[in-house]
Amino acid sequence: MTTTAAAPVLGPSAPAGTPLPPPPAPAPPPPPPTDSPAPPVPKRMSTNRLILRCPDLPDAPTLAASIRANREALARFMPWARIPPPDTMDEEVARQAARLPAVAERFADARDFQWLIFLRRRRRGLHSQEQHEEQHEEQQQQAQGENGERDEDVNEEEEGPFVGCVGLHRVPRLADGGADRGWHIGYWIDAEHQRHGYAPEAVRAVADAAFGRTPSERPADLISRTGERLEFLSRVEIWCAQDNEPSAAVARKVGFRLLGVEPFGYEDIDKEIAKMDFRFMLDRN
């Protein structure tokens, strides 16, 4: 059966030949999902056994040596480690030195946060409580800048051997074009320091900082250099491949709960596509 469209009906007061009103404009598309606010996390944190610190240019040789020694294991789950390595250690150091300024810039702009993990060592030479108090008072005076902010480099501890890396990453672009999934924590530990519980300790420190459970040198209502408001997070995730059982064990040990097994891919900060299966989530409360 053939159907025809009904003729338009004009209002009773419209004279013959009056043109029809233009069709209504289509509704504008919904705005793209906004990125989750960035948390005011510190550049340096200490735990019972570890120091977490934003990397700097002098860290390039240490980072290059560890990546070179662990590349085969890292490449199983981290796309950036699958990039063909340089032929020599000097070239590896140069590669890391070239990328570290961008890492520090993204941290300062609250776009991505990465910390190097070191074993924490107490500074020696404090022979009495009185000497300890005198040194602490002197450090406090030296640490006051023009704005009254404490210099992060003044403390009573020193960095030991390099342990690994941990990061808090916002990934608004998924490989399937989906919406922003907020912030997630990633980590890797040098093979020489595995099975000592350092990964859960570092992940817990990052989660606590993101939730505002630990003191930060920046208030929660600070506006970042890019004009973004910084707010503590209410939830954070850990993503890992289904066969990456050590990483999943870290998430469970810290208290993350499994949201589900859902294969997906995302584009990381270096434009590499990572494929994941497990999604773990931790709430602030």
Side-chain angles (χ1 to χ4, degrees):
M1 180 177 66
T2 302
T3 60
T4 58
V9 179
L10 299 179
S13 60
T18 301
L20 293 176
T34 57
D35 293 343
S36 301
V41 293
K43 291 183 177 180
R44 182 186 180 101
M45 298 182 282
S46 297
T47 68
N48 185 43
R49 300 181 296 168
L50 305 173
I51 293 175
L52 281 62
R53 173 176 58 75
C54 179
D56 203 355
L57 196 57
D59 297 312
T62 298
L63 192 56
S66 183
I67 290 176
R68 199 168 183 85
N70 292 269
R71 188 176 296 276
E72 183 176 355
L74 293 173
R76 288 187 59 198
F77 304 112
M78 299 188 177
W80 58 263
R82 299 174 196 145
I83 300 173
D87 294 331
T88 68
M89 176 60 73
D90 287 344
E91 292 174 330
E92 184 74 65
V93 172
R95 172 186 284 187
Q96 296 305 317
R99 64 177 290 271
L100 286 180
V103 173
E105 181 180 355
R106 289 194 293 259
F107 199 115
D109 290 343
R111 288 181 287 138
D112 188 79
F113 306 102
Q114 296 185 43
W115 296 266
L116 303 185
I117 308 170
F118 300 90
L119 292 183
R120 181 185 181 192
R121 289 178 174 172
R122 299 286 185 178
R123 284 183 178 170
R124 300 174 182 175
L126 301 178
H127 304 294
S128 68
Q129 179 65 23
E130 183 179 355
Q131 287 177 311
H132 174 83
E133 293 176 354
E134 289 177 355
Q135 181 174 350
H136 180 71
E137 182 178 356
E138 180 181 354
Q139 289 175 343
Q140 286 288 87
Q141 294 174 353
Q142 294 174 351
Q144 296 300 318
E146 295 180 0
N147 298 323
E149 296 178 351
R150 178 166 182 167
D151 184 349
E152 297 171 349
D153 293 330
V154 178
N155 50 66
E156 299 172 7
E157 61 193 10
E158 61 184 6
E159 296 172 359
F162 174 76
V163 170
C165 294
V166 62
L168 181 64
H169 311 292
R170 178 171 56 191
V171 187
R173 273 195 306 274
L174 295 186
D176 60 3
D180 174 19
R181 296 199 183 200
W183 293 82
H184 76 107
I185 298 176
Y187 42 89
W188 63 270
I189 302 295
D190 188 287
E192 293 187 3
H193 298 285
Q194 294 178 3
R195 296 182 175 85
H196 294 289
Y198 296 142
E201 190 169 330
V203 168
R204 187 176 290 110
V206 171
D208 284 346
F211 292 156
R213 292 173 177 164
T214 55
S216 172
E217 80 276 11
R218 298 189 290 181
D221 61 351
L222 184 73
I223 304 298
S224 74
R225 295 196 317 179
T226 58
E228 178 182 20
R229 181 183 176 85
L230 304 181
E231 299 177 3
F232 290 119
L233 303 184
S234 60
R235 62 178 284 172
V236 68
E237 296 188 7
I238 286 178
W239 305 344
C240 66
Q242 191 168 357
D243 57 343
N244 189 354
E245 185 53 38
S247 186
V250 169
R252 294 188 178 99
K253 188 170 184 178
V254 177
F256 285 68
R257 62 183 177 88
L258 182 64
L259 292 178
V261 181
E262 173 193 1
F264 66 92
Y266 73 91
E267 183 179 299
D268 66 15
I269 196 71
D270 295 315
K271 309 296 185 183
E272 300 292 334
I273 299 298
K275 297 188 180 300
M276 301 292 173
D277 300 284
F278 281 176
R279 289 182 59 203
F280 292 90
M281 187 268 289
L282 184 68
D283 286 317
R284 179 168 56 193
N285 299 328

